[in-house]
Amino acid sequence: MQSAWTLLSWGSDGWLDDIAYGVFVTVCLALATLPLGLMMGFFIALAKQSNEASLRLAGNVYTTIFRGLPELLTLFLVYFGVQIGAQNLLRLFNPEATIEVNSFVSGMVALGVVFSSYASEVFLSAFRAIPPGQYEGGHALGLSRGRTMRLVILPQLIRIALPGLSNLWLILLKDTALVSAIGLSDILRQAGVAARVTKHAFMFFGVASLIYLVLAIVSSVGIGAIARSVGRREMAR
Amino acid sequence: MSAVISERPPIAARGWPRQRIIGYSLMGAWIAIGIALVFYLAISWNPALFERYAGTYMSGLGVTLTLVVISIVLGALLAAPLTYARMSSNPILSGFAYAYVYFFRGTPLLVQTFLIYYGLGSFRPQLEAVGLWMFFREAWYCAVLAFTLNTAAYQAEIFRGAIESVPRGQWEGSASLGLHRLQTLWTVILPQAAIVALRPFGNEVILMIKGSAIVAIITVYDLMGVTRLAYSRSFDFQTYIWAALIYLSVVELLRHGIEWIERRITIHLKR
């Protein structure tokens, strides 16, 4: 019987290196999903606040679907659906071919889609908090619509949307645990493997939950720093 | 000095501005996806599959809803003392409640479920000694326990936020009327807090319904569980599509129900 410290050491006897790899995968997945989700969420929010009714409707359909589906089901739909779709498409050209969809990319797309549908609501309420005079002021200065958006609206938007987005980031970090169900070696899967091999399930899942807690705390500190720097820029103006 | 602001409705754009082209093409894409989905379900319609799994899906949905209702109710019962502890001035009590809430909100529900189902399995001899092994052996009880503990943390935060949103003057006014603190809480504070809490509480119920899909991973046959089973036996992708449609309709039904209740209970606030 090995001691808990041996099991948690680095190297061939311990599992720390495997779990560290899991942390790396989880963090990579969350960081890769973030820009995708933010960008999609921003454009969906733009659609939802447009004057054009059809554009609003299209945005709302997107949000309704992806906020209503369980994250795990979205993940499976993407993982198996894309695989089957790509397979059928490929069979048209080459009947022998098989295709394997990368679970990291599937996880990124599924989590990004869910993140973006929530983020679009955050951006939308931030858009509504910006008075129309800001757009008119930009127009009066002769800025084009794109430049008004980039130079006038966006800096204010980020400051208003930051608390909501940081909540979504923490949710995203927790949702990454779901990708262990499609076989990606994230924290939870590595801990699960260690638990099965060593029979110390409580210890390894406990370690996994503590790692998630530490990630959440580190993110809160980081978000606080970002919020302060955004706020300071606002004060200096 | 008063500026005269004339509010005119915006002039509707005529013809085909760029936004309209994008909007119509996106809506066209959604409609095409919808038609494709219906078409796909129609051509892959399999009476044997339907007959075999329709009942299973319904029982799976029943398991999902039972799990959510039990954990929400038990979670609310647990959240009440937790809210009290969190708001108390005793540092030990509030510190404990803070740590509890932080842990359960800071870690994934899936990890908490694993911790209870697989993790407590490592203490089998001790659990058998106290006669609790019967409980922790069953995935279903573990799922209920994990979900209850998790939602209690979220609900405690919702209740705390709602109670704190009621202005202090309400407490002071009741005290000057000679109401007992418990009376104040029950007759003055809670009715006002309930209006604030309704929306986040409804969101929590929806999050629980969506989150409950993960119990399929620990072999509980809820809606997601029976879907995985049906897919692994038939390799027919429509099993997932049906599950998605059922989940979507449940969540939408619930969302509209909550909005309806909110309209009803805020009727006296409308002008």
Side-chain angles (χ1 to χ4, degrees):
Chain A
M1 202 73 181
Q2 288 157 307
S3 80
W5 294 114
T6 322
L7 289 175
L8 283 178
S9 66
W10 195 277
S12 54
D13 285 342
W15 291 87
L16 193 62
D17 46 339
D18 303 84
I19 291 176
Y21 176 72
V23 175
F24 174 72
V25 170
T26 292
V27 172
C28 278
L29 180 64
L31 285 179
T33 308
L34 185 68
L36 178 77
L38 279 180
M39 207 131 80
M40 281 161 60
F42 178 74
F43 283 113
I44 293 156
L46 266 185
K48 285 202 285 197
Q49 60 114 42
S50 116
N51 291 324
E52 175 60 38
S54 58
L55 207 51
R56 284 200 302 270
L57 187 61
N60 286 330
V61 170
Y62 181 91
T63 321
T64 306
I65 292 177
F66 290 110
R67 281 203 314 180
L69 287 179
E71 290 82 358
L72 188 62
L73 185 60
T74 312
L75 191 62
F76 282 176
L77 283 176
V78 170
Y79 186 60
F80 294 120
V82 170
Q83 188 143 344
I84 291 167
Q87 190 100 39
N88 287 344
L89 207 65
L90 209 62
R91 286 230 176 96
L92 295 177
F93 306 107
N94 182 358
E96 302 295 299
T98 55
I99 192 166
E100 189 79 22
V101 173
N102 188 330
S103 56
F104 187 91
V105 177
S106 306
M108 203 174 110
V109 170
L111 294 177
V113 163
V114 174
F115 183 92
S116 67
S117 63
Y118 282 97
S120 72
E121 288 291 300
V122 172
F123 279 127
L124 184 64
S125 57
F127 266 123
R128 289 188 178 145
I130 294 174
Q134 298 287 332
Y135 296 92
E136 289 160 8
H139 185 68
L141 289 175
L143 297 178
S144 70
R145 279 166 60 124
R147 283 174 71 99
T148 308
M149 183 56 77
R150 211 175 68 239
L151 300 174
V152 182
I153 306 300
L154 211 53
Q156 306 180 52
L157 194 74
I158 289 169
R159 193 165 44 84
I160 300 170
L162 196 64
L165 292 179
S166 53
N167 261 341
L168 292 182
W169 163 254
L170 293 176
I171 292 173
L172 172 66
L173 214 49
K174 289 188 282 171
D175 277 351
T176 55
L178 296 177
V179 295
S180 59
I182 56 168
L184 195 61
S185 312
D186 74 327
I187 298 174
L188 186 57
R189 190 171 179 83
Q190 299 291 72
V193 171
R196 224 171 310 134
V197 173
T198 63
K199 304 271 187 272
H200 281 74
F202 191 78
M203 185 177 78
F204 280 109
F205 287 125
V207 166
S209 58
L210 288 183
I211 293 172
Y212 279 107
L213 265 190
V214 169
L215 287 179
I217 293 170
V218 169
S219 317
S220 313
V221 173
I223 291 163
I226 295 173
R228 268 196 305 281
S229 84
V230 174
R232 197 180 301 140
R233 246 188 291 160
E234 186 63 22
M235 295 293 248
R237 200 175 290 159
Chain B
M1 193 179 117
S2 69
V4 180
I5 300 168
S6 63
E7 289 275 348
R8 252 191 318 182
I11 302 152
R14 288 214 296 242
W16 288 91
R18 201 173 52 184
Q19 286 197 348
R20 186 163 298 169
I21 297 171
I22 300 174
Y24 273 55
S25 44
L26 286 179
M27 263 332 279
W30 275 128
I31 293 169
I33 291 173
I35 292 173
L37 205 62
V38 172
F39 187 68
Y40 168 73
L41 288 177
I43 57 163
S44 57
W45 174 253
N46 183 344
L49 188 81
F50 184 80
E51 203 165 310
R52 180 148 179 217
Y53 289 113
T56 326
Y57 268 58
M58 282 305 116
S59 76
L61 180 62
V63 170
T64 294
L65 294 181
T66 317
L67 175 65
V68 171
V69 169
I70 293 179
S71 1
I72 289 282
V73 171
L74 292 182
L77 292 181
L78 190 60
L82 211 54
T83 313
Y84 175 78
R86 183 86 168 78
M87 294 178 73
S88 95
S89 49
N90 182 341
I92 298 171
L93 261 185
S94 70
F96 168 78
Y98 180 78
Y100 179 92
V101 169
Y102 202 95
F103 177 80
F104 280 98
R105 298 201 335 155
T107 56
L109 180 54
L110 188 57
V111 176
Q112 294 158 17
T113 313
F114 277 16
L115 198 59
I116 287 174
Y117 182 56
Y118 296 118
L120 291 183
S122 8
F123 302 114
R124 183 172 174 181
Q126 292 91 324
L127 287 172
E128 271 174 342
V130 290
L132 280 174
W133 177 241
M134 295 291 285
F135 182 88
F136 289 105
R137 197 181 52 187
E138 297 288 331
W140 163 255
Y141 290 124
C142 289
V144 170
L145 180 64
F147 277 60
T148 303
L149 294 178
N150 180 274
T151 190
Y154 281 93
Q155 288 185 34
E157 279 301 278
I158 293 170
F159 294 161
R160 185 177 68 94
I163 291 175
E164 281 179 355
S165 78
V166 179
R168 277 183 63 84
Q170 300 282 330
W171 287 97
E172 291 159 2
S174 315
S176 69
L177 287 174
L179 288 181
H180 186 256
R181 273 183 72 84
L182 218 56
Q183 261 179 326
T184 309
L185 184 70
W186 194 249
T187 57
V188 179
I189 306 299
L190 285 186
Q192 300 180 67
I195 294 177
V196 179
L198 179 70
R199 186 166 278 264
F201 186 79
N203 282 342
E204 171 62 16
V205 176
I206 291 175
L207 284 181
M208 284 303 279
I209 289 182
K210 291 167 42 178
S212 71
I214 63 162
V215 294
I217 300 177
I218 61 162
T219 68
V220 173
Y221 287 105
D222 72 326
L223 182 52
M224 189 73 197
V226 299
T227 308
R228 285 180 60 167
L229 186 75
Y231 181 72
S232 65
R233 291 217 182 125
S234 65
F235 285 106
D236 196 339
F237 190 64
Q238 64 169 309
T239 51
Y240 277 114
I241 305 278
W242 286 114
L245 292 176
I246 297 174
Y247 270 115
L248 258 188
S249 28
V250 170
V251 168
E252 278 304 290
L253 215 64
L254 202 64
R255 199 165 64 89
H256 283 102
I258 292 160
E259 270 172 16
W260 183 80
I261 296 175
E262 193 175 29
R263 271 201 307 278
R264 291 290 307 216
I265 64 171
T266 56
I267 234 165
H268 63 287
L269 297 174
K270 294 250 165 59
R271 304 237 162 145

